[in-house]
Amino acid sequence: MAETSIEWTDVTWNPVAGCTIATAGCTNCYAMRMAARLEAMGVDKYIGTTRKSGGRAKWTGQIVLDPQALTIPMTWKRPRKVFVNSMSDLFHPDVPADFIAQVWATMAATPHHTYQILTKRPERMTEVLSVAEFAVLPNVWLGTSVEDSRVVHRLDSLRQVPAAVRFVSFEPLIGSVSGAELLDIHWAIIGGESGPDARPMDPTWVDEIHDACRRAGTAFFFKQWGGRNKKATGRTYRDQTWDELPRFSPTC
């Protein structure tokens, strides 16, 4: 567990480490850089998860399961919003369904927390969660990342996921998603890419998402403009901050 500066959550919880680059949104993934630093610090579960390529850390595709992390949320007495696997993807094809079931059991046993699970693989999320052993938990939000129009189809897959709350992270937003349908998506997070190689975000793309949210009744959360210095660019949109949360969460 780690306290986090991510605006839409309280803590991160990583029972899995390591990932694989999937699409263009992964190019400058912060988790690759963080995993490389943690490996250099000798944190066992990150050893072998990255390699250097072109002077930058890249995922190797190695996935590490951390059963010892499964009980960590049970030690937290105060309710928290918990971002699950900020350093991986719970629905990566190399994460076994029986391990995902153990993560599910922890979340079921700690209903005072709200869990936020984000994947770039909503098709597998649907496949895994459609069996009887995975109950729809009211304290679990399920989401997918959409960085541009090439992966808008992930929203259709997300709509098939049995969930109390569905959300989409348009981050890093590197292209227009004009025409994205947000029906039955309860929450949208919007953010520009940050860091030394950040790709710019056009304000028009944000306008498109804001309008889509208003049409669908989807909560709108503007995280950041991003850029090389995200603190300088800030997170004000249309002269205000937008911190809307889904209406269906038991802890909102």
Side-chain angles (χ1 to χ4, degrees), residues 133-170:
E133 67 183 292
F134 290 98
V136 175
L137 300 177
N139 63 322
V140 175
W141 306 356
L142 298 176
T144 193
S145 300
V146 173
E147 65 263 23
D148 60 25
S149 61
R150 291 171 290 184
V151 291
V152 166
H153 60 85
R154 290 176 181 163
L155 293 171
D156 293 328
S157 298
L158 180 63
R159 269 185 279 273
Q160 299 177 39
V161 176
V165 171
R166 299 182 191 88
F167 72 100
V168 55
S169 174
F170 293 107

PDB file of all heavy atoms in Angstrom, residues 133-170:
ATOM      1  N   GLU A 133     -18.679 -17.303  -9.608  1.00  0.00           N
ATOM      2  CA  GLU A 133     -17.901 -17.065  -8.386  1.00  0.00           C
ATOM      3  C   GLU A 133     -17.581 -15.585  -8.167  1.00  0.00           C
ATOM      4  O   GLU A 133     -17.199 -15.178  -7.063  1.00  0.00           O
ATOM      5  CB  GLU A 133     -16.607 -17.872  -8.421  1.00  0.00           C
ATOM      6  CG  GLU A 133     -15.614 -17.451  -9.483  1.00  0.00           C
ATOM      7  CD  GLU A 133     -14.380 -18.344  -9.500  1.00  0.00           C
ATOM      8  OE1 GLU A 133     -13.601 -18.304  -8.529  1.00  0.00           O
ATOM      9  OE2 GLU A 133     -14.208 -19.075 -10.487  1.00  0.00           O
ATOM     10  N   PHE A 134     -17.747 -14.767  -9.193  1.00  0.00           N
ATOM     11  CA  PHE A 134     -17.467 -13.339  -9.059  1.00  0.00           C
ATOM     12  C   PHE A 134     -18.775 -12.578  -8.899  1.00  0.00           C
ATOM     13  O   PHE A 134     -19.447 -12.234  -9.874  1.00  0.00           O
ATOM     14  CB  PHE A 134     -16.700 -12.825 -10.282  1.00  0.00           C
ATOM     15  CG  PHE A 134     -15.289 -13.330 -10.364  1.00  0.00           C
ATOM     16  CD1 PHE A 134     -14.980 -14.413 -11.162  1.00  0.00           C
ATOM     17  CD2 PHE A 134     -14.277 -12.741  -9.615  1.00  0.00           C
ATOM     18  CE1 PHE A 134     -13.673 -14.887 -11.238  1.00  0.00           C
ATOM     19  CE2 PHE A 134     -12.976 -13.211  -9.681  1.00  0.00           C
ATOM     20  CZ  PHE A 134     -12.668 -14.292 -10.488  1.00  0.00           C
ATOM     21  N   ALA A 135     -19.130 -12.305  -7.655  1.00  0.00           N
ATOM     22  CA  ALA A 135     -20.334 -11.535  -7.380  1.00  0.00           C
ATOM     23  C   ALA A 135     -20.101 -10.071  -7.730  1.00  0.00           C
ATOM     24  O   ALA A 135     -18.966  -9.579  -7.688  1.00  0.00           O
ATOM     25  CB  ALA A 135     -20.698 -11.652  -5.898  1.00  0.00           C
ATOM     26  N   VAL A 136     -21.170  -9.376  -8.095  1.00  0.00           N
ATOM     27  CA  VAL A 136     -21.084  -7.934  -8.293  1.00  0.00           C
ATOM     28  C   VAL A 136     -21.000  -7.284  -6.912  1.00  0.00           C
ATOM     29  O   VAL A 136     -21.942  -7.384  -6.119  1.00  0.00           O
ATOM     30  CB  VAL A 136     -22.301  -7.402  -9.072  1.00  0.00           C
ATOM     31  CG1 VAL A 136     -22.245  -5.882  -9.156  1.00  0.00           C
ATOM     32  CG2 VAL A 136     -22.342  -8.014 -10.472  1.00  0.00           C
ATOM     33  N   LEU A 137     -19.877  -6.663  -6.618  1.00  0.00           N
ATOM     34  CA  LEU A 137     -19.659  -6.054  -5.305  1.00  0.00           C
ATOM     35  C   LEU A 137     -19.988  -4.568  -5.374  1.00  0.00           C
ATOM     36  O   LEU A 137     -19.460  -3.853  -6.237  1.00  0.00           O
ATOM     37  CB  LEU A 137     -18.205  -6.248  -4.867  1.00  0.00           C
ATOM     38  CG  LEU A 137     -17.728  -7.706  -4.737  1.00  0.00           C
ATOM     39  CD1 LEU A 137     -16.248  -7.745  -4.358  1.00  0.00           C
ATOM     40  CD2 LEU A 137     -18.563  -8.459  -3.717  1.00  0.00           C
ATOM     41  N   PRO A 138     -20.814  -4.070  -4.470  1.00  0.00           N
ATOM     42  CA  PRO A 138     -21.201  -2.658  -4.520  1.00  0.00           C
ATOM     43  C   PRO A 138     -20.062  -1.702  -4.237  1.00  0.00           C
ATOM     44  O   PRO A 138     -20.157  -0.512  -4.557  1.00  0.00           O
ATOM     45  CB  PRO A 138     -22.296  -2.558  -3.454  1.00  0.00           C
ATOM     46  CG  PRO A 138     -22.069  -3.710  -2.539  1.00  0.00           C
ATOM     47  CD  PRO A 138     -21.512  -4.806  -3.394  1.00  0.00           C
ATOM     48  N   ASN A 139     -18.979  -2.198  -3.647  1.00  0.00           N
ATOM     49  CA  ASN A 139     -17.835  -1.328  -3.326  1.00  0.00           C
ATOM     50  C   ASN A 139     -16.706  -1.431  -4.343  1.00  0.00           C
ATOM     51  O   ASN A 139     -15.587  -0.972  -4.088  1.00  0.00           O
ATOM     52  CB  ASN A 139     -17.286  -1.654  -1.932  1.00  0.00           C
ATOM     53  CG  ASN A 139     -16.743  -3.077  -1.832  1.00  0.00           C
ATOM     54  OD1 ASN A 139     -17.314  -4.005  -2.415  1.00  0.00           O
ATOM     55  ND2 ASN A 139     -15.670  -3.263  -1.085  1.00  0.00           N
ATOM     56  N   VAL A 140     -16.992  -2.014  -5.508  1.00  0.00           N
ATOM     57  CA  VAL A 140     -15.959  -2.180  -6.530  1.00  0.00           C
ATOM     58  C   VAL A 140     -16.383  -1.454  -7.805  1.00  0.00           C
ATOM     59  O   VAL A 140     -17.444  -1.725  -8.367  1.00  0.00           O
ATOM     60  CB  VAL A 140     -15.693  -3.672  -6.831  1.00  0.00           C
ATOM     61  CG1 VAL A 140     -14.711  -3.824  -7.987  1.00  0.00           C
ATOM     62  CG2 VAL A 140     -15.146  -4.370  -5.585  1.00  0.00           C
ATOM     63  N   TRP A 141     -15.552  -0.515  -8.231  1.00  0.00           N
ATOM     64  CA  TRP A 141     -15.760   0.198  -9.493  1.00  0.00           C
ATOM     65  C   TRP A 141     -14.851  -0.428 -10.547  1.00  0.00           C
ATOM     66  O   TRP A 141     -13.667  -0.645 -10.296  1.00  0.00           O
ATOM     67  CB  TRP A 141     -15.402   1.672  -9.363  1.00  0.00           C
ATOM     68  CG  TRP A 141     -16.076   2.428  -8.262  1.00  0.00           C
ATOM     69  CD1 TRP A 141     -17.037   1.973  -7.394  1.00  0.00           C
ATOM     70  CD2 TRP A 141     -15.813   3.781  -7.895  1.00  0.00           C
ATOM     71  NE1 TRP A 141     -17.395   2.966  -6.528  1.00  0.00           N
ATOM     72  CE2 TRP A 141     -16.673   4.090  -6.804  1.00  0.00           C
ATOM     73  CE3 TRP A 141     -14.966   4.773  -8.385  1.00  0.00           C
ATOM     74  CZ2 TRP A 141     -16.675   5.350  -6.194  1.00  0.00           C
ATOM     75  CZ3 TRP A 141     -14.974   6.030  -7.787  1.00  0.00           C
ATOM     76  CH2 TRP A 141     -15.827   6.307  -6.706  1.00  0.00           C
ATOM     77  N   LEU A 142     -15.373  -0.676 -11.717  1.00  0.00           N
ATOM     78  CA  LEU A 142     -14.599  -1.305 -12.778  1.00  0.00           C
ATOM     79  C   LEU A 142     -14.486  -0.354 -13.963  1.00  0.00           C
ATOM     80  O   LEU A 142     -15.493   0.196 -14.430  1.00  0.00           O
ATOM     81  CB  LEU A 142     -15.258  -2.614 -13.221  1.00  0.00           C
ATOM     82  CG  LEU A 142     -15.369  -3.686 -12.130  1.00  0.00           C
ATOM     83  CD1 LEU A 142     -16.113  -4.907 -12.644  1.00  0.00           C
ATOM     84  CD2 LEU A 142     -13.991  -4.076 -11.617  1.00  0.00           C
ATOM     85  N   GLY A 143     -13.253  -0.168 -14.448  1.00  0.00           N
ATOM     86  CA  GLY A 143     -13.042   0.812 -15.498  1.00  0.00           C
ATOM     87  C   GLY A 143     -12.060   0.366 -16.563  1.00  0.00           C
ATOM     88  O   GLY A 143     -11.352  -0.632 -16.414  1.00  0.00           O
ATOM     89  N   THR A 144     -12.024   1.138 -17.647  1.00  0.00           N
ATOM     90  CA  THR A 144     -11.060   0.908 -18.713  1.00  0.00           C
ATOM     91  C   THR A 144     -10.433   2.230 -19.122  1.00  0.00           C
ATOM     92  O   THR A 144     -11.006   3.300 -18.896  1.00  0.00           O
ATOM     93  CB  THR A 144     -11.714   0.230 -19.928  1.00  0.00           C
ATOM     94  OG1 THR A 144     -10.696  -0.243 -20.821  1.00  0.00           O
ATOM     95  CG2 THR A 144     -12.639   1.169 -20.688  1.00  0.00           C
ATOM     96  N   SER A 145      -9.254   2.155 -19.725  1.00  0.00           N
ATOM     97  CA  SER A 145      -8.556   3.332 -20.235  1.00  0.00           C
ATOM     98  C   SER A 145      -8.853   3.502 -21.720  1.00  0.00           C
ATOM     99  O   SER A 145      -8.861   2.529 -22.471  1.00  0.00           O
ATOM    100  CB  SER A 145      -7.038   3.188 -20.050  1.00  0.00           C
ATOM    101  OG  SER A 145      -6.701   3.046 -18.699  1.00  0.00           O
ATOM    102  N   VAL A 146      -9.085   4.744 -22.127  1.00  0.00           N
ATOM    103  CA  VAL A 146      -9.293   5.076 -23.543  1.00  0.00           C
ATOM    104  C   VAL A 146      -8.479   6.327 -23.829  1.00  0.00           C
ATOM    105  O   VAL A 146      -8.788   7.398 -23.305  1.00  0.00           O
ATOM    106  CB  VAL A 146     -10.785   5.317 -23.850  1.00  0.00           C
ATOM    107  CG1 VAL A 146     -10.961   5.824 -25.284  1.00  0.00           C
ATOM    108  CG2 VAL A 146     -11.590   4.042 -23.640  1.00  0.00           C
ATOM    109  N   GLU A 147      -7.437   6.187 -24.648  1.00  0.00           N
ATOM    110  CA  GLU A 147      -6.560   7.331 -24.897  1.00  0.00           C
ATOM    111  C   GLU A 147      -6.861   8.077 -26.186  1.00  0.00           C
ATOM    112  O   GLU A 147      -6.503   9.244 -26.332  1.00  0.00           O
ATOM    113  CB  GLU A 147      -5.085   6.891 -24.885  1.00  0.00           C
ATOM    114  CG  GLU A 147      -4.709   5.940 -26.007  1.00  0.00           C
ATOM    115  CD  GLU A 147      -4.727   4.476 -25.585  1.00  0.00           C
ATOM    116  OE1 GLU A 147      -5.418   4.153 -24.613  1.00  0.00           O
ATOM    117  OE2 GLU A 147      -4.020   3.668 -26.237  1.00  0.00           O
ATOM    118  N   ASP A 148      -7.504   7.425 -27.143  1.00  0.00           N
ATOM    119  CA  ASP A 148      -7.858   8.089 -28.393  1.00  0.00           C
ATOM    120  C   ASP A 148      -8.902   7.246 -29.121  1.00  0.00           C
ATOM    121  O   ASP A 148      -9.362   6.213 -28.600  1.00  0.00           O
ATOM    122  CB  ASP A 148      -6.619   8.347 -29.267  1.00  0.00           C
ATOM    123  CG  ASP A 148      -5.858   7.087 -29.664  1.00  0.00           C
ATOM    124  OD1 ASP A 148      -6.468   5.987 -29.707  1.00  0.00           O
ATOM    125  OD2 ASP A 148      -4.649   7.190 -29.942  1.00  0.00           O
ATOM    126  N   SER A 149      -9.273   7.680 -30.320  1.00  0.00           N
ATOM    127  CA  SER A 149     -10.366   7.033 -31.039  1.00  0.00           C
ATOM    128  C   SER A 149     -10.064   5.592 -31.423  1.00  0.00           C
ATOM    129  O   SER A 149     -10.986   4.805 -31.656  1.00  0.00           O
ATOM    130  CB  SER A 149     -10.704   7.832 -32.298  1.00  0.00           C
ATOM    131  OG  SER A 149      -9.586   7.900 -33.170  1.00  0.00           O
ATOM    132  N   ARG A 150      -8.778   5.221 -31.479  1.00  0.00           N
ATOM    133  CA  ARG A 150      -8.423   3.858 -31.886  1.00  0.00           C
ATOM    134  C   ARG A 150      -8.868   2.805 -30.878  1.00  0.00           C
ATOM    135  O   ARG A 150      -8.985   1.621 -31.226  1.00  0.00           O
ATOM    136  CB  ARG A 150      -6.902   3.760 -32.120  1.00  0.00           C
ATOM    137  CG  ARG A 150      -6.421   4.519 -33.335  1.00  0.00           C
ATOM    138  CD  ARG A 150      -4.919   4.592 -33.407  1.00  0.00           C
ATOM    139  NE  ARG A 150      -4.360   5.458 -32.369  1.00  0.00           N
ATOM    140  CZ  ARG A 150      -3.063   5.742 -32.265  1.00  0.00           C
ATOM    141  NH1 ARG A 150      -2.187   5.227 -33.118  1.00  0.00           N
ATOM    142  NH2 ARG A 150      -2.628   6.558 -31.298  1.00  0.00           N
ATOM    143  N   VAL A 151      -9.118   3.213 -29.635  1.00  0.00           N
ATOM    144  CA  VAL A 151      -9.501   2.233 -28.610  1.00  0.00           C
ATOM    145  C   VAL A 151     -10.844   2.567 -27.965  1.00  0.00           C
ATOM    146  O   VAL A 151     -11.160   2.061 -26.889  1.00  0.00           O
ATOM    147  CB  VAL A 151      -8.396   2.082 -27.537  1.00  0.00           C
ATOM    148  CG1 VAL A 151      -7.164   1.409 -28.128  1.00  0.00           C
ATOM    149  CG2 VAL A 151      -8.024   3.428 -26.924  1.00  0.00           C
ATOM    150  N   VAL A 152     -11.656   3.394 -28.629  1.00  0.00           N
ATOM    151  CA  VAL A 152     -12.982   3.713 -28.100  1.00  0.00           C
ATOM    152  C   VAL A 152     -13.844   2.465 -27.963  1.00  0.00           C
ATOM    153  O   VAL A 152     -14.740   2.399 -27.102  1.00  0.00           O
ATOM    154  CB  VAL A 152     -13.662   4.776 -28.992  1.00  0.00           C
ATOM    155  CG1 VAL A 152     -15.148   4.889 -28.687  1.00  0.00           C
ATOM    156  CG2 VAL A 152     -13.008   6.134 -28.792  1.00  0.00           C
ATOM    157  N   HIS A 153     -13.553   1.433 -28.760  1.00  0.00           N
ATOM    158  CA  HIS A 153     -14.311   0.178 -28.675  1.00  0.00           C
ATOM    159  C   HIS A 153     -14.242  -0.449 -27.281  1.00  0.00           C
ATOM    160  O   HIS A 153     -15.106  -1.274 -26.924  1.00  0.00           O
ATOM    161  CB  HIS A 153     -13.794  -0.826 -29.707  1.00  0.00           C
ATOM    162  CG  HIS A 153     -12.341  -1.178 -29.539  1.00  0.00           C
ATOM    163  ND1 HIS A 153     -11.912  -2.165 -28.672  1.00  0.00           N
ATOM    164  CD2 HIS A 153     -11.218  -0.663 -30.102  1.00  0.00           C
ATOM    165  CE1 HIS A 153     -10.591  -2.248 -28.720  1.00  0.00           C
ATOM    166  NE2 HIS A 153     -10.139  -1.348 -29.581  1.00  0.00           N
ATOM    167  N   ARG A 154     -13.251  -0.071 -26.485  1.00  0.00           N
ATOM    168  CA  ARG A 154     -13.177  -0.606 -25.123  1.00  0.00           C
ATOM    169  C   ARG A 154     -14.420  -0.246 -24.309  1.00  0.00           C
ATOM    170  O   ARG A 154     -14.796  -0.981 -23.391  1.00  0.00           O
ATOM    171  CB  ARG A 154     -11.925  -0.078 -24.410  1.00  0.00           C
ATOM    172  CG  ARG A 154     -10.615  -0.643 -24.937  1.00  0.00           C
ATOM    173  CD  ARG A 154      -9.439   0.017 -24.248  1.00  0.00           C
ATOM    174  NE  ARG A 154      -8.158  -0.482 -24.735  1.00  0.00           N
ATOM    175  CZ  ARG A 154      -6.993   0.133 -24.551  1.00  0.00           C
ATOM    176  NH1 ARG A 154      -6.975   1.283 -23.881  1.00  0.00           N
ATOM    177  NH2 ARG A 154      -5.873  -0.368 -25.030  1.00  0.00           N
ATOM    178  N   LEU A 155     -15.050   0.871 -24.638  1.00  0.00           N
ATOM    179  CA  LEU A 155     -16.264   1.265 -23.921  1.00  0.00           C
ATOM    180  C   LEU A 155     -17.384   0.254 -24.139  1.00  0.00           C
ATOM    181  O   LEU A 155     -18.152  -0.045 -23.215  1.00  0.00           O
ATOM    182  CB  LEU A 155     -16.717   2.653 -24.365  1.00  0.00           C
ATOM    183  CG  LEU A 155     -15.801   3.814 -23.998  1.00  0.00           C
ATOM    184  CD1 LEU A 155     -16.262   5.092 -24.687  1.00  0.00           C
ATOM    185  CD2 LEU A 155     -15.754   4.006 -22.492  1.00  0.00           C
ATOM    186  N   ASP A 156     -17.483  -0.292 -25.334  1.00  0.00           N
ATOM    187  CA  ASP A 156     -18.504  -1.312 -25.602  1.00  0.00           C
ATOM    188  C   ASP A 156     -18.246  -2.562 -24.760  1.00  0.00           C
ATOM    189  O   ASP A 156     -19.179  -3.172 -24.235  1.00  0.00           O
ATOM    190  CB  ASP A 156     -18.521  -1.670 -27.093  1.00  0.00           C
ATOM    191  CG  ASP A 156     -18.991  -0.523 -27.962  1.00  0.00           C
ATOM    192  OD1 ASP A 156     -19.842   0.271 -27.496  1.00  0.00           O
ATOM    193  OD2 ASP A 156     -18.503  -0.397 -29.099  1.00  0.00           O
ATOM    194  N   SER A 157     -16.966  -2.934 -24.644  1.00  0.00           N
ATOM    195  CA  SER A 157     -16.624  -4.080 -23.800  1.00  0.00           C
ATOM    196  C   SER A 157     -16.921  -3.795 -22.344  1.00  0.00           C
ATOM    197  O   SER A 157     -17.443  -4.644 -21.615  1.00  0.00           O
ATOM    198  CB  SER A 157     -15.138  -4.433 -23.970  1.00  0.00           C
ATOM    199  OG  SER A 157     -14.849  -4.800 -25.302  1.00  0.00           O
ATOM    200  N   LEU A 158     -16.621  -2.572 -21.899  1.00  0.00           N
ATOM    201  CA  LEU A 158     -16.873  -2.203 -20.503  1.00  0.00           C
ATOM    202  C   LEU A 158     -18.350  -2.294 -20.165  1.00  0.00           C
ATOM    203  O   LEU A 158     -18.720  -2.722 -19.062  1.00  0.00           O
ATOM    204  CB  LEU A 158     -16.343  -0.797 -20.232  1.00  0.00           C
ATOM    205  CG  LEU A 158     -16.520  -0.249 -18.814  1.00  0.00           C
ATOM    206  CD1 LEU A 158     -15.757  -1.099 -17.809  1.00  0.00           C
ATOM    207  CD2 LEU A 158     -16.070   1.205 -18.741  1.00  0.00           C
ATOM    208  N   ARG A 159     -19.202  -1.898 -21.100  1.00  0.00           N
ATOM    209  CA  ARG A 159     -20.649  -1.943 -20.842  1.00  0.00           C
ATOM    210  C   ARG A 159     -21.144  -3.356 -20.597  1.00  0.00           C
ATOM    211  O   ARG A 159     -22.202  -3.554 -19.994  1.00  0.00           O
ATOM    212  CB  ARG A 159     -21.408  -1.302 -22.007  1.00  0.00           C
ATOM    213  CG  ARG A 159     -21.660   0.182 -21.829  1.00  0.00           C
ATOM    214  CD  ARG A 159     -22.514   0.726 -22.964  1.00  0.00           C
ATOM    215  NE  ARG A 159     -21.713   0.982 -24.141  1.00  0.00           N
ATOM    216  CZ  ARG A 159     -21.066   2.124 -24.372  1.00  0.00           C
ATOM    217  NH1 ARG A 159     -21.146   3.113 -23.513  1.00  0.00           N
ATOM    218  NH2 ARG A 159     -20.347   2.288 -25.475  1.00  0.00           N
ATOM    219  N   GLN A 160     -20.400  -4.349 -21.048  1.00  0.00           N
ATOM    220  CA  GLN A 160     -20.796  -5.744 -20.846  1.00  0.00           C
ATOM    221  C   GLN A 160     -20.352  -6.290 -19.495  1.00  0.00           C
ATOM    222  O   GLN A 160     -20.771  -7.383 -19.089  1.00  0.00           O
ATOM    223  CB  GLN A 160     -20.196  -6.612 -21.958  1.00  0.00           C
ATOM    224  CG  GLN A 160     -20.660  -6.244 -23.356  1.00  0.00           C
ATOM    225  CD  GLN A 160     -19.973  -7.079 -24.416  1.00  0.00           C
ATOM    226  OE1 GLN A 160     -19.758  -8.273 -24.244  1.00  0.00           O
ATOM    227  NE2 GLN A 160     -19.604  -6.450 -25.514  1.00  0.00           N
ATOM    228  N   VAL A 161     -19.502  -5.548 -18.795  1.00  0.00           N
ATOM    229  CA  VAL A 161     -18.961  -6.017 -17.518  1.00  0.00           C
ATOM    230  C   VAL A 161     -20.036  -5.897 -16.439  1.00  0.00           C
ATOM    231  O   VAL A 161     -20.627  -4.830 -16.257  1.00  0.00           O
ATOM    232  CB  VAL A 161     -17.726  -5.191 -17.116  1.00  0.00           C
ATOM    233  CG1 VAL A 161     -17.233  -5.610 -15.740  1.00  0.00           C
ATOM    234  CG2 VAL A 161     -16.620  -5.348 -18.144  1.00  0.00           C
ATOM    235  N   PRO A 162     -20.312  -6.970 -15.694  1.00  0.00           N
ATOM    236  CA  PRO A 162     -21.240  -6.870 -14.562  1.00  0.00           C
ATOM    237  C   PRO A 162     -20.594  -6.074 -13.440  1.00  0.00           C
ATOM    238  O   PRO A 162     -19.581  -6.493 -12.865  1.00  0.00           O
ATOM    239  CB  PRO A 162     -21.469  -8.331 -14.167  1.00  0.00           C
ATOM    240  CG  PRO A 162     -20.279  -9.084 -14.678  1.00  0.00           C
ATOM    241  CD  PRO A 162     -19.785  -8.348 -15.883  1.00  0.00           C
ATOM    242  N   ALA A 163     -21.138  -4.893 -13.151  1.00  0.00           N
ATOM    243  CA  ALA A 163     -20.497  -4.014 -12.169  1.00  0.00           C
ATOM    244  C   ALA A 163     -21.514  -3.060 -11.574  1.00  0.00           C
ATOM    245  O   ALA A 163     -22.479  -2.675 -12.230  1.00  0.00           O
ATOM    246  CB  ALA A 163     -19.373  -3.215 -12.835  1.00  0.00           C
ATOM    247  N   ALA A 164     -21.277  -2.671 -10.329  1.00  0.00           N
ATOM    248  CA  ALA A 164     -22.112  -1.657  -9.689  1.00  0.00           C
ATOM    249  C   ALA A 164     -21.800  -0.280 -10.251  1.00  0.00           C
ATOM    250  O   ALA A 164     -22.685   0.562 -10.408  1.00  0.00           O
ATOM    251  CB  ALA A 164     -21.885  -1.679  -8.183  1.00  0.00           C
ATOM    252  N   VAL A 165     -20.523  -0.025 -10.549  1.00  0.00           N
ATOM    253  CA  VAL A 165     -20.071   1.245 -11.104  1.00  0.00           C
ATOM    254  C   VAL A 165     -19.077   0.949 -12.222  1.00  0.00           C
ATOM    255  O   VAL A 165     -18.144   0.174 -12.043  1.00  0.00           O
ATOM    256  CB  VAL A 165     -19.399   2.123 -10.027  1.00  0.00           C
ATOM    257  CG1 VAL A 165     -18.739   3.349 -10.661  1.00  0.00           C
ATOM    258  CG2 VAL A 165     -20.405   2.553  -8.973  1.00  0.00           C
ATOM    259  N   ARG A 166     -19.293   1.579 -13.373  1.00  0.00           N
ATOM    260  CA  ARG A 166     -18.356   1.479 -14.500  1.00  0.00           C
ATOM    261  C   ARG A 166     -17.758   2.859 -14.741  1.00  0.00           C
ATOM    262  O   ARG A 166     -18.474   3.858 -14.715  1.00  0.00           O
ATOM    263  CB  ARG A 166     -19.057   0.999 -15.771  1.00  0.00           C
ATOM    264  CG  ARG A 166     -19.686  -0.380 -15.662  1.00  0.00           C
ATOM    265  CD  ARG A 166     -20.309  -0.798 -16.995  1.00  0.00           C
ATOM    266  NE  ARG A 166     -21.123  -1.985 -16.831  1.00  0.00           N
ATOM    267  CZ  ARG A 166     -22.408  -1.968 -16.500  1.00  0.00           C
ATOM    268  NH1 ARG A 166     -23.025  -0.804 -16.330  1.00  0.00           N
ATOM    269  NH2 ARG A 166     -23.070  -3.091 -16.356  1.00  0.00           N
ATOM    270  N   PHE A 167     -16.455   2.890 -15.016  1.00  0.00           N
ATOM    271  CA  PHE A 167     -15.828   4.179 -15.282  1.00  0.00           C
ATOM    272  C   PHE A 167     -14.799   4.073 -16.395  1.00  0.00           C
ATOM    273  O   PHE A 167     -14.324   2.984 -16.731  1.00  0.00           O
ATOM    274  CB  PHE A 167     -15.213   4.773 -14.009  1.00  0.00           C
ATOM    275  CG  PHE A 167     -13.961   4.090 -13.495  1.00  0.00           C
ATOM    276  CD1 PHE A 167     -12.711   4.625 -13.751  1.00  0.00           C
ATOM    277  CD2 PHE A 167     -14.044   2.935 -12.714  1.00  0.00           C
ATOM    278  CE1 PHE A 167     -11.556   4.029 -13.250  1.00  0.00           C
ATOM    279  CE2 PHE A 167     -12.899   2.337 -12.199  1.00  0.00           C
ATOM    280  CZ  PHE A 167     -11.647   2.883 -12.478  1.00  0.00           C
ATOM    281  N   VAL A 168     -14.495   5.230 -16.979  1.00  0.00           N
ATOM    282  CA  VAL A 168     -13.491   5.294 -18.040  1.00  0.00           C
ATOM    283  C   VAL A 168     -12.459   6.345 -17.667  1.00  0.00           C
ATOM    284  O   VAL A 168     -12.803   7.411 -17.155  1.00  0.00           O
ATOM    285  CB  VAL A 168     -14.127   5.617 -19.406  1.00  0.00           C
ATOM    286  CG1 VAL A 168     -14.952   6.897 -19.368  1.00  0.00           C
ATOM    287  CG2 VAL A 168     -13.059   5.714 -20.501  1.00  0.00           C
ATOM    288  N   SER A 169     -11.202   6.020 -17.900  1.00  0.00           N
ATOM    289  CA  SER A 169     -10.122   6.978 -17.720  1.00  0.00           C
ATOM    290  C   SER A 169      -9.631   7.406 -19.097  1.00  0.00           C
ATOM    291  O   SER A 169      -8.994   6.612 -19.805  1.00  0.00           O
ATOM    292  CB  SER A 169      -8.977   6.356 -16.913  1.00  0.00           C
ATOM    293  OG  SER A 169      -7.885   7.251 -16.856  1.00  0.00           O
ATOM    294  N   PHE A 170      -9.944   8.638 -19.478  1.00  0.00           N
ATOM    295  CA  PHE A 170      -9.408   9.207 -20.708  1.00  0.00           C
ATOM    296  C   PHE A 170      -8.062   9.842 -20.373  1.00  0.00           C
ATOM    297  O   PHE A 170      -7.894  11.052 -20.387  1.00  0.00           O
ATOM    298  CB  PHE A 170     -10.368  10.258 -21.269  1.00  0.00           C
ATOM    299  CG  PHE A 170     -11.684   9.723 -21.766  1.00  0.00           C
ATOM    300  CD1 PHE A 170     -12.853   9.939 -21.052  1.00  0.00           C
ATOM    301  CD2 PHE A 170     -11.762   8.996 -22.950  1.00  0.00           C
ATOM    302  CE1 PHE A 170     -14.075   9.472 -21.512  1.00  0.00           C
ATOM    303  CE2 PHE A 170     -12.982   8.511 -23.420  1.00  0.00           C
ATOM    304  CZ  PHE A 170     -14.138   8.747 -22.700  1.00  0.00           C
TER     305      PHE A 170
END
